[in-house]
Each structure stands twice: as structure tokens, then as C-alpha cells.
């Protein structure tokens, strides 16, 4: 049977127990919880990195200073199979992952095939092909990442058609095609970067 002294001890301890329980609950709510990060975040980060790298090297495809580059401004472009990307603000506002990633994959593969062709053409006329080789490597890596991303979201990887490419016999022709590919690759990089940033899951770190 509890004595009066025991009841007094229990009564005195009750506020302390309540205080400890409140502190424990406060600790649970204030402790940092792990933030869920989408498994796609790493893939998007890698793809954006490849596009950024391409943005830094596209001008080296022709290796022409601005003064000499002006001689090619009025030359008619002849690579009909090269993607000519057109976009508006409305296009970016209506992006869909299952549509935009396959399109980006096709553009990447097309530029990859054109840059590989340019590399061979440069070698055939004894021009340096180092820049084309570098661009080809990054386009191939971007293509592989896009391929993996399409598999992740359960989308079929589209088949890219083989472009019809002209026979090149002079260094002037090679330089002309280098400028053409370089200019279109610049547009591609700007478009791709914006598409990837907009499609990136919202929980992904921004850096």
C-alpha cells in the first residue's frame, strides 16, 4: 500500500517527467531528416556537365579567328541532315520528359555522326582533328547518358537515321563545314542546357 510519502514523491516527479517528455519530442521534431533525392538527379547533373563542356569547345571546331571567320558568313550551309533547332518560350513551357529526352537523344546522335565525319574530313586534308575528336567524345558520353535515362523512365530509345554527308576534297570545304557544324552546335548546347534544367526533378540539388 502506497504511503503518503510515496504519493508526495510521485506528485513531485510528475512535472519533471512531463518536462523531459516535451524536450524529447522537441528534439525529435528539430533533428534534421534525410532529404529524398530523386535517383535521376545524378544522371541530369552528368548530362548538364557534358553540355557545359561542349559549350566551351564548340568554337574550336573551326579554329578560325574572328577576322577569318567573317569570310564564311555568307557561305550557304549545305549539311541538310544537321539539326536546325528552333524554339520559343511556349515550347519550353510545354516540355514533357517522355517527349523531350528522345528528341534530345536524336539531336545528340546526329551531331555526333556529323562531328565524326568532320574529324575524318579534317584528317583527309591534313587539318588538325583534335577539336573534333574532343567534341565527339563528349557527344558520345551525352548520348550514353540519355540512353540510360530513357531506360530509367521506361521509354524506347529512338533509332537515329544515318545522315547523307557530302564528299569533301578541299581544306576550304572542311573549314566551311566546320563553321556550319560549330554554329548549329552552339544553338544545340543552349537549347539542351535549358531543356535539361527545366526537366530536372525539383528535389535535385542545383549545384
Amino acid at each position: 500500500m502506497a504511503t503518503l510519502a510515496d504519493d508526495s514523491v510521485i506528485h513531485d516527479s510528475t512535472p519533471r517527467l512531463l518536462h523531459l517528455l516535451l524536450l524529447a519530442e522537441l528534439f525529435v521534431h528539430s533533428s534534421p531528416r534525410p532529404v529524398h533525392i530523386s535517383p535521376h538527379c545524378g544522371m541530369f547533373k552528368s548530362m548538364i556537365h557534358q553540355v557545359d563542356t561542349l559549350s566551351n569547345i564548340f568554337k574550336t571546331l573551326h579554329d578560325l579567328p574572328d577576322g577569318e571567320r567573317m569570310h564564311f558568313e555568307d557561305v550557304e550551309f549545305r549539311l541538310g541532315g544537321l539539326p536546325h533547332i528552333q524554339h520559343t518560350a511556349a515550347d519550353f513551357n510545354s516540355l514533357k520528359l517522355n517527349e523531350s529526352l528522345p528528341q534530345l537523344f536524336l539531336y545528340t546522335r546526329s551531331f555526333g555522326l556529323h562531328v565524326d565525319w568532320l574529324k575524318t574530313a579534317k584528317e583527309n586534308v591534313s587539318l588538325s582533328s583534335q577539336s573534333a575528336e574532343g567534341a565527339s567524345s563528349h557527344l558520345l558520353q551525352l548520348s550514353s547518358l540519355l540512353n540510360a535515362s530513357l531506360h530509367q523512365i521506361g521509354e524506347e530509345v529512338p533509332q537515329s537515321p544515318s545522315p547523307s554527308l557530302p564528299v569533301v576534297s578541299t581544306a576550304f570545304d572542311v573549314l566551311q563545314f566546320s563553321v556550319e557544324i560549330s554554329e548549329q552546335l552552339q544553338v544545340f548546347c543552349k537549347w539542351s542546357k535549358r531543356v535539361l534544367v527545366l526537366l530536372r526533378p525539383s528535389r535535385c540539388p542545383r549545384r
Side-chain angles (χ1 to χ4, degrees):
M1 178 180 297
T3 65
L4 183 61
D6 294 334
D7 291 341
S8 177
V9 170
I10 294 173
H11 178 75
D12 291 342
S13 301
T14 300
R16 293 182 181 179
L17 290 173
L18 289 174
H19 183 66
L20 290 173
L21 287 172
L22 288 172
L23 286 176
E25 186 176 357
L26 179 63
F27 175 78
V28 169
H29 286 291
S30 62
S31 61
R33 298 182 180 181
V35 177
H36 174 70
I37 297 178
S38 169
H40 303 298
C41 291
M43 197 74 73
F44 272 85
K45 181 179 179 180
S46 297
M47 289 189 289
I48 291 172
H49 172 70
Q50 293 301 326
V51 173
D52 284 339
T53 305
L54 281 168
S55 298
N56 292 328
I57 67 174
F58 72 87
K59 284 185 177 180
T60 63
L61 285 177
H62 54 69
D63 292 320
L64 291 171
D66 291 339
E68 295 184 26
R69 165 70 184 82
M70 293 174 60
H71 296 300
F72 294 88
E73 288 184 351
D74 297 326
V75 176
E76 182 181 356
F77 288 166
R78 295 182 288 170
L79 295 175
L82 198 64
H84 289 265
I85 302 170
Q86 296 180 347
H87 52 269
T88 63
D91 295 329
F92 287 120
N93 291 331
S94 59
L95 291 176
K96 295 181 181 179
L97 187 68
N98 63 337
E99 295 177 359
S100 298
L101 279 189
Q103 186 67 69
L104 181 53
F105 175 82
L106 287 174
Y107 285 165
T108 303
R109 287 292 299 138
S110 179
F111 274 106
L113 292 171
H114 281 82
V115 170
D116 287 344
W117 165 81
L118 179 63
K119 175 179 175 293
T120 300
K122 284 191 168 191
E123 292 171 348
N124 290 340
V125 295
S126 300
L127 290 176
S128 173
S129 62
Q130 184 176 359
S131 58
E133 186 173 353
S136 174
S137 175
H138 290 291
L139 285 165
L140 180 60
Q141 291 180 62
L142 178 58
S143 177
S144 298
L145 289 167
L146 286 164
N147 189 310
S149 296
L150 289 170
H151 282 296
Q152 279 188 347
I153 64 174
E155 285 294 320
E156 185 177 350
V157 178
Q159 297 297 315
S160 53
S162 298
S164 177
L165 297 166
V167 177
V168 181
S169 57
T170 68
F172 181 85
D173 280 339
V174 173
L175 289 174
Q176 176 188 341
F177 289 127
S178 298
V179 170
E180 182 175 354
I181 294 175
S182 174
E183 289 191 353
Q184 295 305 319
L185 186 59
Q186 179 183 16
V187 176
F188 166 77
C189 288
K190 291 179 178 179
W191 176 83
S192 301
K193 174 72 174 286
R194 190 167 182 184
V195 167
L196 290 170
V197 168
L198 290 172
L199 290 177
R200 179 175 53 186
S202 58
R203 289 184 177 272
C204 293
R206 289 301 179 252
R207 293 185 179 179

